[in-house]
Amino acid sequence: AQSVTQPDIHITVSEGASLELRCNYSYGATPYLFWYVQSPGQGLQLLLKYFSGDTLVQGIKGFEAEFKRSQSSFNLRKPSVHWSDAAEYFCAVGENFGNEKLTFGTGTRLTIIP
Amino acid sequence: DVKVTQSSRYLVKRTGEKVFLECVQDMDHENMFWYRQDPGLGLRLIYFSYDVKMKEKGDIPEGYSVSREKKERFSLILESASTNQTSMYLCASSGRSGANVLTFGAGSRLTVL
């Protein structure tokens, strides 16, 4: 069965600083990988996804993620964070195309300081 | 704008009560999901459904059941609520060609006293 590890429970960065959130997955075949964001009191919103092809994927709100098969990682990055980026971020892996079921990591809470 | 609507944002119930959590999507999606979200545990899949009247167990189905009588509606049922079912419940849906992309509702926060 697939699994996802987000090793950082809580990260604090200054506004304007760069950000990298870590995600490692375990899955036997080619994974389908996702990052979702959850603002306080809200449901989850898709930031970006990787299915195949270019290993660097662009998402909404200026986020990007890079798939590294050799490291089983799919880290999320942003060059300059904004106060509105404060939220909880979840990495997820899909079993296979058409199955639609996702397994989520435990999440990373991002705090932005002025 | 496409939506997944969870009718109850906040509920408070007593131990032993039967609880219904309703979820409706307006996107004509085939797949619907119920997840439970707890601090430090992330999202865990309770049940999912690929079609009307079909259901499959997720990772933590114990103590829960589901109903999908219509394509747009997926209900989560707690037959006899317990305090360890106090949690945030998230409903999601996806289309058959949606390649695992889930659209989530805003969540239902359930407290069982």
Side-chain angles (χ1 to χ4, degrees):
Chain A
Q2 72 273 24
S3 65
V4 177
T5 301
Q6 292 181 249
D8 303 306
I9 297 173
H10 187 200
I11 284 181
T12 300
V13 299
S14 299
E15 189 168 15
S18 63
L19 171 71
E20 182 169 25
L21 303 182
R22 296 184 291 167
C23 172
N24 294 98
Y25 68 89
S26 173
Y27 185 60
T30 301
Y32 298 96
L33 296 162
F34 306 80
W35 275 99
Y36 282 82
V37 61
Q38 185 181 35
S39 298
Q42 304 295 316
L44 275 69
Q45 180 185 20
L46 179 69
L47 279 178
L48 48 78
K49 60 185 183 290
Y50 170 79
F51 293 151
S52 63
D54 193 346
T55 56
L56 184 64
V57 294
Q58 303 296 323
I60 62 171
K61 304 184 181 186
F63 285 91
E64 66 179 26
E66 186 171 11
F67 169 56
K68 293 185 178 180
R69 184 186 299 275
S70 61
Q71 299 177 20
S72 298
S73 69
F74 189 57
N75 294 349
L76 182 71
R77 301 193 295 246
K78 187 170 185 179
S80 177
V81 298
H82 186 262
W83 63 266
S84 61
D85 293 324
E88 189 149 22
Y89 292 79
F90 293 93
C91 182
V93 60
E95 277 194 347
N96 52 62
F97 192 89
N99 182 289
E100 310 288 351
K101 190 174 74 168
L102 295 188
T103 298
F104 286 82
T106 52
T108 297
R109 179 164 299 280
L110 176 64
T111 298
I112 309 293
I113 54 176
Chain B
D1 194 16
V2 295
K3 278 189 176 178
V4 176
T5 302
Q6 296 181 232
S7 54
S8 302
R9 290 297 307 272
Y10 301 94
L11 304 93
V12 180
K13 299 292 182 180
R14 295 201 177 276
T15 300
E17 280 193 81
K18 189 169 187 176
V19 181
F20 293 88
L21 299 181
E22 304 288 342
C23 176
V24 177
Q25 50 94 5
D26 64 2
M27 297 166 282
D28 200 34
H29 280 171
E30 289 79 9
N31 310 307
M32 296 189 75
F33 305 81
W34 275 106
Y35 283 88
R36 170 176 172 162
Q37 181 180 10
D38 299 288
L41 298 177
L43 278 73
R44 294 177 291 168
L45 183 62
I46 305 172
Y47 267 98
F48 57 108
S49 170
Y50 290 139
D51 204 344
V52 175
K53 297 192 184 295
M54 293 181 65
K55 62 183 179 184
E56 292 197 31
K57 294 180 180 179
D59 300 318
I60 53 163
E62 296 78 18
Y64 303 94
S65 62
V66 292
S67 173
R68 192 162 180 204
E69 297 297 318
K70 294 184 177 181
K71 188 176 185 179
E72 67 271 18
R73 188 180 298 270
F74 192 37
S75 302
L76 180 69
I77 303 159
L78 288 66
E79 292 289 342
S80 178
S82 63
T83 55
N84 63 14
Q85 293 178 309
T86 292
S87 187
M88 170 69 86
Y89 291 89
L90 293 169
C91 177
S93 71
S94 67
R96 190 154 290 149
S97 59
N100 306 72
V101 177
L102 303 184
T103 300
F104 281 86
S108 298
R109 182 166 294 281
L110 172 66
T111 300
V112 183
L113 303 175

